[in-house]
Amino acid sequence: PALFQMSGSQPQVGRGVPCLRCRGLCTGFEPHSWRKICKSCKCSQEEHSLSSELDDDRKIGRLLSDSKYSTLTARLKGGDGVRIYKRNRMIVTNPNISGKDPTFDTITYEWAPPGLAQKLAMQYMELMPKELQPVAGTDGAFHRRRRLTRQLPLYDQDPAQCRGLADGEQKLMEEFVKKYKAEALGVGEVALPGQGGGGKEEEEKPQDKSIDPGRAPESPNGALESAPMAGHYPVPGDCPVVYADRAGYSRQWHPACFVCCRCAEPLVDLIYFWKSGAAWCGRHYCESLRPRCAGCDEIIFSEDYQQVEGLAWHKKHFACLECETLLTGKPFALANASLLCTTCSQSR
């Protein structure tokens, strides 16, 4: 059977970790004072794999606590009430009888859908692209960790991690987080067709009060109706599908189709945010409600910010990427969402 284990291993973290994108050209992570990048190579924190498995489990535990999905968390011993992600780590042991003495091949999945028999969990994994299966020590496990960092930034839920909040904005952020936990946050459920939510048959519309009944909702994000419809791919009755309770149990997704409607990335650990008839990753859901600073990558809660070509900045972060000169009222160049003063732009 699938084993439920808390993560124990912690890869190298912190200052000095080489950049995965630069392949040795960066000597080690040098944190910028407010940008979420390395001062040395300008790559993001996620490229340096700075978080440990325990850090990730704490982050998801914080996200799911104080929500209806708190059963997926557990209290951390000696953690002063801190809750940690009760991640299902699945270990599969297969006998290898090719030689005289039988041996066993052990495969560890760093995450698997909770509450499933191993056979169904393995079916789910096999329906995911090979490069996305989170087998320990493979690219699939690495990409899962990157999606955790990208889709669910800690500074989108914890004001203490933010450098862009002004006086009085912490309360606004706390209310923002409380609201999305109550109204949008969800965790997909894996089950056989017709068995989602214990076999519930719902005919009501998705539980999203923001949908205008006078117009069609945004793209249903690959969702399949329970009854076959023209243009939709049928789902065999013995293949697992994903249900999202905020969408209603009349919808189901192929495992590989449960993706963010904005970036089309698979939703990491089935964590989604429901809005306008579609599932979003946390990053793009938050951006759909408030602007995100192109400088520090944090959500902007002030109504007074800088905008250029569809991008937004805290006014104090509207600065040159190279020399940090504030550029409000000054000429600048915009390259790959980064600002450069005229001097630094010409020297490149």
Side-chain angles (χ1 to χ4, degrees):
L3 299 181
F4 295 79
Q5 296 185 353
M6 298 304 293
S7 303
S9 62
Q10 294 188 38
Q12 186 184 22
V13 297
R15 185 186 297 269
V17 179
C19 178
L20 298 168
R21 176 181 288 179
C22 295
R23 301 293 181 184
L25 297 178
C26 172
T27 56
F29 184 74
E30 295 182 46
H32 189 276
S33 59
W34 51 267
R35 300 183 193 270
K36 309 298 187 296
I37 62 171
C38 172
K39 286 199 299 184
S40 174
C41 67
K42 302 294 192 295
C43 288
S44 66
Q45 292 180 355
E46 64 191 84
E47 300 292 350
H48 288 262
S49 288
L50 291 181
S51 65
S52 67
E53 287 186 344
L54 183 58
D55 290 334
D56 290 340
D57 288 344
R58 283 175 179 267
K59 177 176 75 172
I60 304 304
R62 179 188 178 97
L63 177 66
L64 299 181
S65 64
D66 302 322
S67 79
K68 63 179 180 177
Y69 304 97
S70 60
T71 54
L72 295 176
T73 68
R75 195 173 301 279
L76 183 64
K77 289 184 179 179
D80 297 326
V82 173
R83 300 195 71 85
I84 194 168
Y85 187 25
K86 195 167 61 177
R87 175 163 49 97
N88 177 26
R89 177 182 255 193
M90 183 170 69
I91 301 175
V92 180
T93 302
N94 298 312
N96 182 353
I97 55 175
S98 58
K100 287 185 178 181
D101 299 320
T103 57
F104 296 91
D105 294 328
T106 299
I107 302 173
T108 299
Y109 292 85
E110 294 192 349
W111 173 86
L116 300 184
Q118 190 179 86
K119 179 181 177 181
L120 193 59
M122 285 302 300
Q123 282 182 288
Y124 169 88
M125 288 298 178
E126 289 164 2
L127 290 170
M128 295 296 293
K130 187 77 173 176
E131 66 273 14
L132 295 179
Q133 296 175 14
V135 176
T138 69
D139 285 347
F142 167 70
H143 288 309
R144 172 187 168 269
R145 298 278 307 284
R146 280 192 63 181
R147 290 200 308 277
L148 277 173
T149 302
R150 178 75 179 163
Q151 295 182 13
L152 303 169
L154 183 56
Y155 42 86
D156 277 9
Q157 56 166 302
D158 184 0
Q161 301 298 319
C162 296
R163 299 294 176 265
L165 292 177
D167 292 342
E169 291 178 1
Q170 178 167 335
K171 185 67 175 176
L172 290 175
M173 182 173 181
E174 289 172 350
E175 292 172 354
F176 178 81
V177 173
K178 183 177 180 180
K179 186 176 175 65
Y180 76 53
K181 284 190 178 187
E183 298 181 0
L185 176 64
V187 180
E189 174 191 351
V190 176
L192 291 174
Q195 296 183 13
K200 292 178 183 177
E201 293 293 335
E202 291 191 8
E203 298 185 2
E204 70 268 20
K205 293 181 179 179
Q207 302 167 26
D208 187 340
K209 297 178 182 178
S210 66
I211 297 177
D212 181 351
R215 68 173 178 84
E218 295 179 15
S219 165
N221 191 23
L224 305 169
E225 303 297 329
S226 290
M229 293 183 64
H232 286 162
Y233 297 102
V235 181
D238 60 350
C239 286
V241 294
V242 178
Y243 289 94
D245 62 337
R246 291 190 185 273
Y249 287 94
S250 62
R251 285 184 172 185
Q252 57 192 25
W253 285 259
H254 292 113
C257 295
F258 195 57
V259 300
C260 171
C261 67
R262 177 64 59 85
C263 63
E265 280 195 0
L267 292 161
V268 65
D269 294 11
L270 304 178
I271 297 170
Y272 69 92
F273 292 73
W274 190 256
K275 180 191 172 192
S276 300
W280 304 62
C281 70
R283 167 175 289 273
H284 290 116
Y285 172 80
C286 290
E287 289 178 13
S288 75
L289 301 177
R290 301 287 313 175
R292 185 182 295 279
C293 179
C296 70
D297 202 45
E298 296 171 13
I299 298 298
I300 300 174
F301 289 93
S302 170
E303 298 304 325
D304 185 20
Y305 57 91
Q306 193 77 36
Q307 278 188 296
V308 177
E309 295 186 11
L311 298 174
W313 285 263
H314 292 106
K315 285 203 164 181
K316 62 183 177 182
H317 293 158
F318 193 70
C320 176
L321 177 66
E322 298 292 345
C323 68
E324 304 292 343
T325 300
L326 286 175
L327 297 173
T328 303
K330 298 179 181 179
F332 61 86
L334 182 63
N336 298 322
S338 295
L339 297 166
L340 294 170
C341 68
T342 52
T343 302
C344 292
S345 176
Q346 291 169 2
S347 66
R348 276 198 164 190

